[in-house]
Amino acid sequence: AQKVTQAQTEISVVEKEDVTLDCVYETRDTTYYLFWYKQPPSGELVFLIRRNSFDEQNEISGRYSWNFQKSTSSFNFTITASQVVDSAVYFCALSDEYNNNDMRFGAGTRLTVKP
Amino acid sequence: DAGVTQSPTHLIKTRGQQVTLRCSPKSGHDTVSWYQQALGQGPQFIFQYYEEEERQRGNFPDRFSGHQFPNYSSELNVNALLLGDSALYLCASSLMADKETQYFGPGTRLLVL
């Protein structure tokens, strides 16, 4: 079955702290794609990253970094030196060929960064 | 470069009514997908349109239907509205050649009373 689990419902940190958002996925496909989206209060989902199953290299983009580990079926997202503007709901999502590439989202993690 | 746009931003309907939501894809995109996001949950895939045809469908009843126009814009129609249809409806666009990467619009908040 195709499934995405974000076990952390809510996280609260103080500005400048580092924070890691966990994502665990299940799929029977060998070819799949993983995504992270940010949803601020305005509601629009903002694309952050896409990673395909054949590329296990970790990625860093400014204060954001992603750790993809196929051995544990995890795709975790770390924000370094968090800022108040990082406050949002973050969604991890999975797309695979078995399900005709429709995107399955996790339940989301609400991150609050306090000044 | 315009992103994905949706209209209206908010809508209030009563049970049993019908509603039409609209979406214009990001410039250059040819594929439109619709998602329903209930409060406190992640988006759920409704269906995807490409070349004016429904290509994929999620686990939603036939009350949910759609259309894609020659200019790639799309409509989502929901008939016989139920209270449980209250949600944020998100439209996402992509290129069929790269349909895994989707860009989302701001959504339409539908409240059914």
Side-chain angles (χ1 to χ4, degrees):
Chain A
Q2 185 195 43
K3 186 178 176 183
V4 176
T5 301
Q6 294 179 256
Q8 304 151 307
T9 306
E10 295 191 34
I11 299 176
S12 181
V13 299
V14 177
E15 210 171 15
K16 298 184 182 177
E17 286 185 10
D18 299 347
V19 58
T20 295
L21 309 181
D22 297 334
C23 174
V24 174
Y25 62 92
E26 293 177 32
T27 176
R28 65 178 69 184
D29 266 359
T30 55
T31 301
Y32 53 90
Y33 303 88
L34 295 163
F35 305 82
W36 276 96
Y37 283 88
K38 174 182 180 180
Q39 189 174 43
S42 61
E44 182 172 346
L45 282 167
V46 178
F47 171 82
L48 296 178
I49 190 172
R50 162 187 156 172
R51 172 65 72 222
N52 74 50
S53 53
F54 298 111
D55 181 3
E56 285 194 74
Q57 265 195 322
N58 291 328
E59 180 151 342
I60 298 175
S61 176
R63 296 184 298 105
Y64 295 169
S65 62
W66 290 270
N67 183 358
F68 176 30
Q69 293 197 349
K70 289 177 76 171
S71 60
T72 55
S73 297
S74 65
F75 186 44
N76 296 336
F77 172 32
T78 297
I79 302 175
T80 303
S82 59
Q83 300 176 2
V84 173
V85 294
D86 295 328
S87 296
V89 181
Y90 290 85
F91 289 97
C92 179
L94 166 70
S95 172
D96 63 23
E97 292 179 345
Y98 179 79
N99 287 284
N100 294 315
N101 295 112
D102 76 47
M103 193 176 293
R104 301 296 174 92
F105 285 80
T109 297
R110 180 177 298 278
L111 173 65
T112 302
V113 182
K114 299 178 181 177
Chain B
D1 179 22
V4 180
T5 59
Q6 291 185 243
S7 63
T9 55
H10 295 81
L11 205 51
I12 300 175
K13 292 285 188 178
T14 57
R15 280 180 298 175
Q17 285 189 313
Q18 179 265 345
V19 67
T20 297
L21 311 181
R22 297 177 176 80
C23 171
S24 291
K26 183 177 169 67
S27 179
H29 284 184
D30 55 13
T31 302
V32 173
S33 302
W34 287 92
Y35 292 80
Q36 180 194 67
Q37 185 178 15
L39 197 61
Q41 298 182 22
Q44 291 195 28
F45 175 74
I46 303 175
F47 43 53
Q48 182 181 82
Y49 276 83
Y50 172 67
E51 291 187 333
E52 302 180 49
E53 291 185 7
E54 182 182 295
R55 298 290 177 158
Q56 299 173 37
R57 189 178 183 92
N59 189 25
F60 279 80
D62 292 344
R63 298 187 298 108
F64 289 77
S65 63
H67 189 76
Q68 186 179 34
F69 299 93
N71 66 354
Y72 307 118
S73 66
S74 175
E75 288 182 350
L76 163 65
N77 300 293
V78 187
N79 294 322
L81 284 167
L82 303 175
L83 296 181
D85 295 332
S86 295
L88 177 67
Y89 288 85
L90 294 163
C91 170
S93 74
S94 58
L95 280 168
M96 179 51 72
D98 183 24
K99 59 181 178 178
E100 297 82 14
T101 302
Q102 301 182 15
Y103 292 84
F104 286 79
T108 294
R109 293 193 182 275
L110 172 64
L111 177 61
V112 182
L113 300 176

